[in-house]
Amino acid sequence: MTLFHHNVAFNPHPGKGELSVLFSGKAQTKPLHKVGPQVLDYYLVHYIVSGRGTFRCMGQDYQLKQGNSFFIFPGDLVSYASDSEQPWCYRWIGFKGNRADEYLHKLGITQHHPVNVTKQHRKMNALFHQLEHKLHDRQPHSDMQSEGYLRLILAEYAQDLHETSVPAKEVPAIQQQIELAIRWLTLQHNQPISIEQMAQSLGYHRTHLSKMFKQHTGMSPMNFLLKIRMERARLLLQESLTVDQVASSVGFADALYFSKQFKKWFGRSPSEYRQDQTTNPYDCSE
């Protein structure tokens, strides 16, 4: 669906340390604008500037409004949609880092507790805006500057975490098993894996696991694996890789078969998609 207004800025040289910003943006969505279900391989935080909407993660729905934030972790199945009457406007930051998970858990932000309420609305909105502005500048030190703003934002979340965070409900054991299955598929997506291997690894019979998986995700494990691979391929096509290399990187030994599957999924061949996606390699964050 088309957005009323959409800005995005990218970090041309993201670092590989504790925290690194990949991109940042802002969007005013249309009523009922929906993203997902999808699985990402980076962290993504949305801060709601105005309006309302619903965020779904780990089988739980969160009704969110101005001042709320929601976090997406790599490997999690999520979706979110704006309200029909008060569609939300939000800012977002995509990031990665070898200590990102640790920092978020220290703030009490986890896959089962992915929502935060901010007291200082104006300050938080300004910090998100300043981070995006630094990326638009494309200065030599924009990576370090944007990382600094991300740390300031996380510090703001830390200040009033215990008083205002939205409580999480207890997650059923079966949902935790599906989460493990999703993570297993996400981590192994570039390997020639089978559902039998996944079932054996998780200690379930293949048929039982497949039935549980479809009940909770709406997709069979193999279709979900294909979705992960296609989403990953879409990102890799933004890099200086051949189609053969992209196919191999997402678990396809046959590049021709990969191209056919990609066209079925996105309606365009990998080469056509690459030509069309020259400005927004992380468009799934809209």
Side-chain angles (χ1 to χ4, degrees):
M1 300 177 71
T2 305
L3 302 178
F4 284 144
H5 184 63
H6 173 214
N7 288 324
V8 65
F10 300 96
N11 185 354
H13 305 293
K16 298 181 180 179
E18 294 182 351
L19 283 176
S20 183
V21 175
L22 300 173
F23 57 91
S24 181
K26 179 183 179 181
Q28 170 60 64
T29 66
K30 282 189 174 183
L32 299 178
H33 171 74
K34 185 177 181 180
V35 178
Q38 66 179 9
V39 176
L40 305 179
D41 61 355
Y42 50 87
Y43 298 86
L44 186 63
V45 54
H46 285 74
Y47 176 71
I48 302 170
V49 179
S50 62
R52 297 176 177 272
T54 302
F55 172 57
R56 183 173 180 80
C57 177
M58 296 296 169
Q60 182 174 343
D61 290 334
Y62 300 86
Q63 304 299 323
L64 305 178
K65 59 183 180 179
Q66 181 188 67
N68 294 169
S69 300
F70 59 93
F71 289 77
I72 298 172
F73 284 71
D76 289 349
L77 178 67
V78 300
S79 61
Y80 44 102
S82 60
D83 186 72
S84 60
E85 298 182 357
Q86 301 179 53
W88 50 20
C89 171
Y90 46 45
R91 295 184 179 276
W92 65 78
I93 301 171
F95 60 100
K96 62 179 182 179
N98 54 37
R99 297 190 67 185
D101 200 72
E102 174 189 343
Y103 289 156
L104 293 180
H105 276 71
K106 283 183 178 180
L107 299 178
I109 299 171
T110 68
Q111 293 94 333
H112 301 296
H113 195 170
V115 171
N116 186 273
V117 179
T118 306
K119 289 182 177 180
Q120 302 295 330
H121 173 60
R122 290 185 179 180
K123 185 175 183 180
M124 187 65 80
N125 189 29
L127 287 172
F128 270 75
H129 171 73
Q130 289 165 342
L131 187 152
E132 180 187 342
H133 179 70
K134 290 300 179 184
L135 293 183
H136 276 301
D137 283 348
R138 291 183 175 269
Q139 297 299 317
H141 304 298
S142 61
D143 180 54
M144 288 188 290
Q145 292 173 327
S146 62
E147 179 187 327
Y149 277 110
L150 177 58
R151 289 179 181 272
L152 288 174
I153 288 169
L154 294 180
E156 286 297 314
Y157 286 125
Q159 285 189 358
D160 52 12
L161 169 72
H162 298 293
E163 298 178 11
T164 58
S165 294
V166 176
K169 298 178 181 178
E170 183 179 352
V171 179
I174 189 170
Q175 184 64 38
Q176 295 181 32
Q177 293 301 318
I178 298 304
E179 175 191 342
L180 287 175
I182 290 173
R183 286 184 169 275
W184 193 91
L185 289 173
T186 303
L187 293 172
Q188 302 290 330
H189 77 273
N190 60 341
Q191 303 296 323
I193 60 178
S194 66
I195 301 307
E196 285 80 3
Q197 289 174 305
M198 181 179 72
Q200 183 177 6
S201 177
L202 298 178
Y204 282 96
H205 187 275
R206 178 186 183 280
T207 302
H208 179 62
L209 179 60
S210 296
K211 182 178 180 180
M212 287 195 308
F213 196 97
K214 189 166 186 178
Q215 285 178 346
H216 282 75
T217 67
M219 303 175 70
S220 69
M222 290 308 297
N223 282 340
F224 193 89
L225 174 62
L226 180 60
K227 178 180 175 65
I228 295 172
R229 287 172 166 171
M230 292 297 101
E231 292 291 349
R232 180 59 178 164
R234 181 172 68 164
L235 295 179
L236 290 176
L237 285 170
Q238 304 298 323
E239 306 294 335
S240 299
L241 300 173
T242 66
V243 173
D244 284 13
Q245 289 171 329
V246 172
S248 177
S249 297
V250 295
F252 286 86
D254 186 339
L256 180 60
Y257 179 67
F258 160 72
S259 296
K260 289 180 178 179
Q261 291 298 315
F262 190 93
K263 189 169 185 177
K264 285 182 180 179
W265 198 265
F266 292 112
R268 287 165 287 178
S269 70
S271 298
E272 292 170 339
Y273 189 89
R274 170 174 273 165
Q275 292 174 356
D276 293 340
Q277 302 293 315
T278 58
T279 59
N280 188 5
Y282 296 99
D283 61 352
C284 59
S285 66
E286 294 175 0

